[in-house]
Amino acid sequence: MARFSAFALLAVPWLLLAGLVSGDAVLDLQNKGRPSVDAQIAKSKTCTKANLQVRREWGDISATDKKAYIAAMLCIFNKPSKLDKTKFPGAKSRYDDFVVVHMNQTLNIHGTGSFLSWHRYYTWSFERILREECGYNGTQPYWDWGRWSADPEKSPIFDGSETSLSGNGKKTAHRGSSFAPAGNGGGCIETGPFKNITVHLGPVSPAIDPAPPRNPRTDGYGDNPRCLRRDISNNLSSKYSRTQDIVALITSSKNIGTFQDTMQAVTPGGGMGVHNAGHYTIAGDPGGDFYTSPNDPAFWVHHGMIDRTWYIWQTQDFAARQQVIAGGTSMNGGFGFGGGGAKMQSLEDPVDLGVVGNKVWKIKDLVSTVDGPFCYVYE
């Protein structure tokens, strides 16, 4: 398989779950599950109503709060990296530290038993660093894919305004990948707060043609300065990340294995899970690169919604859907359930984020948003 389609390695049959959804049925499911979360908070030794944080959709937070989040992100773009410069010469900033951690663990955190818990800790750690190192007082926002699926470019996330995460790339002649047709951009972003950001790491698995310049190192850790490119369109969002698609994922997945595999699925010509649909809706470089996708600032609101979707799925049967796991420890061993002799993942396995984590946690500590290091809900 060509390297540019590395997201597509996460291939399982897509469950064609349809049906019309009226109103915000995802929110209805979230509200339905909230009493079980409140009951858990009442029993928790670490998470209380007094320290509970609330995460909200980008379109629902004030302009002041949007600007505060953007300012904190720009702050860590300008803080120096804490990584060894001889090992990771392309890591120039504190933000790049997050990208390197993702690059370094990519094949062990996708299509594996730790996909959801690893990214929950990773996204929370990003929120924590924004607070502790750049004075941010808010929480990690999320991108409700269904809300903006018809035209993501016009959403407040990508409209190019000063309160957006910057707009689409300049419209240029280009080709898409084997799983995402060319969109409306393809070039450098020229609007919004991140228009002057320089990407240093990668590419490793570029998903846009023409591809960005090759990295001076084969592992992608060399310094390869270039602009941030995007190729946003509704090609995928209008088919695979609508409200009814999110609802179907939540209500038709009876166990954690089915839920996480359906979420990550890519079947050529057949369908796509919300995880990959979101990444390929952003597309470009580095947004469409399997390894370096966190280098696009929109990664975090996308994975905020990944976490929210898991949270809602968990709350539909909260007691039975926390301490559960399915899958192997390596994507190379076979998708989802560790085929090819791969070691099976355990709730006792450690999750280590190195210089961006606050400690090494076990997976079992990361499966609830109101226990372990976490204390937050979605509204």
Side-chain angles (χ1 to χ4, degrees):
M1 182 176 289
R3 292 185 71 191
F4 67 78
S5 61
F7 272 123
L9 290 171
L10 304 180
V12 297
W14 170 248
L15 300 178
L16 298 176
L17 302 168
L20 295 176
V21 177
S22 61
D24 191 343
V26 176
L27 181 58
D28 291 343
L29 289 170
Q30 179 176 288
N31 291 337
K32 175 187 173 185
R34 181 59 187 269
S36 64
V37 179
D38 291 337
Q40 182 68 23
I41 294 170
K43 297 185 293 184
S44 176
K45 297 179 181 179
T46 56
C47 182
T48 67
K49 290 183 178 181
N51 65 352
L52 185 68
Q53 300 289 325
V54 177
R55 290 183 176 181
R56 295 183 171 89
E57 212 275 336
W58 187 262
D60 292 332
I61 61 177
S62 69
T64 299
D65 289 344
K66 289 184 178 80
K67 289 179 180 179
Y69 177 77
I70 291 164
M73 198 183 296
L74 289 170
C75 169
I76 62 170
F77 267 110
N78 289 300
K79 283 187 174 289
S81 169
K82 294 186 177 183
L83 290 167
D84 186 333
K85 291 178 174 57
T86 61
K87 293 181 179 179
F88 307 104
K92 302 297 183 182
S93 70
R94 193 73 171 111
Y95 190 97
D96 290 334
D97 290 351
F98 280 91
V99 183
V100 167
V101 168
H102 190 273
M103 292 170 68
N104 206 15
Q105 300 189 41
T106 289
L107 296 180
N108 300 107
I109 57 173
H110 299 92
T112 62
S114 64
F115 167 70
L116 292 164
S117 54
W118 191 95
H119 284 88
R120 172 167 285 174
Y121 181 32
Y122 184 62
T123 304
W124 176 84
S125 294
F126 186 74
E127 178 187 71
R128 181 183 62 82
I129 294 296
L130 292 181
R131 290 182 181 184
E132 294 180 1
E133 299 185 19
C134 286
Y136 179 56
N137 292 319
T139 57
Q140 174 59 47
Y142 64 89
W143 162 21
D144 185 343
W145 315 298
R147 186 171 178 177
W148 314 108
S149 61
D151 195 351
E153 282 187 85
K154 292 183 179 178
S155 75
I157 304 166
F158 297 116
D159 65 10
S161 67
E162 64 178 358
T163 56
S164 72
L165 299 180
S166 282
N168 203 357
K170 182 179 180 180
K171 190 172 180 61
T172 59
H174 67 287
R175 293 178 293 276
S177 72
S178 59
F179 287 86
N184 302 323
C188 302
I189 60 169
E190 298 181 326
T191 58
F194 299 99
K195 63 183 179 182
N196 295 320
I197 289 300
T198 299
V199 177
H200 291 276
L201 294 154
V204 179
S205 180
I208 192 167
D209 188 359
R214 290 186 178 182
N215 194 281
R217 286 179 35 163
T218 57
D219 58 13
Y221 295 129
D223 187 15
N224 187 24
R226 60 198 188 278
C227 71
L228 173 62
R229 294 166 62 190
R230 281 185 184 153
D231 191 27
I232 299 170
S233 80
N234 70 350
N235 281 316
L236 299 176
S237 63
S238 63
K239 300 174 185 176
Y240 305 121
S241 54
R242 302 162 298 174
T243 296
Q244 59 260 46
D245 300 311
I246 305 165
V247 169
L249 170 64
I250 294 168
T251 59
S252 297
S253 299
K254 302 306 180 185
N255 57 67
I256 188 63
T258 300
F259 177 79
Q260 68 193 24
D261 290 1
T262 303
M263 173 179 272
Q264 297 175 85
V266 181
T267 304
M272 180 174 287
V274 293
H275 173 246
N276 297 289
H279 280 296
Y280 281 134
T281 292
I282 301 167
D285 168 56
D289 189 311
F290 189 51
Y291 291 79
T292 63
S293 55
N295 225 331
D296 188 307
F299 174 95
W300 305 102
V301 291
H302 173 49
H303 268 276
M305 185 62 181
I306 292 289
D307 188 68
R308 179 193 181 218
T309 306
W310 181 29
Y311 161 90
I312 296 172
W313 178 84
Q314 289 181 301
T315 65
Q316 304 309 292
D317 189 359
F318 205 51
R321 291 184 175 183
Q322 293 179 78
Q323 296 295 327
V324 290
I325 193 167
T329 59
S330 172
M331 197 174 101
N332 286 334
F335 184 84
F337 292 91
K343 179 185 174 184
M344 298 303 289
Q345 197 98 56
S346 164
L347 289 165
E348 296 292 333
D349 286 349
V351 177
D352 186 356
L353 299 186
V355 297
V356 302
N358 66 339
K359 63 176 284 186
V360 178
W361 295 90
K362 293 182 178 180
I363 290 175
K364 68 180 183 180
D365 298 317
L366 307 175
V367 295
S368 171
T369 68
V370 291
D371 218 337
F374 310 131
C375 189
Y376 66 88
V377 294
Y378 287 94
E379 290 184 359

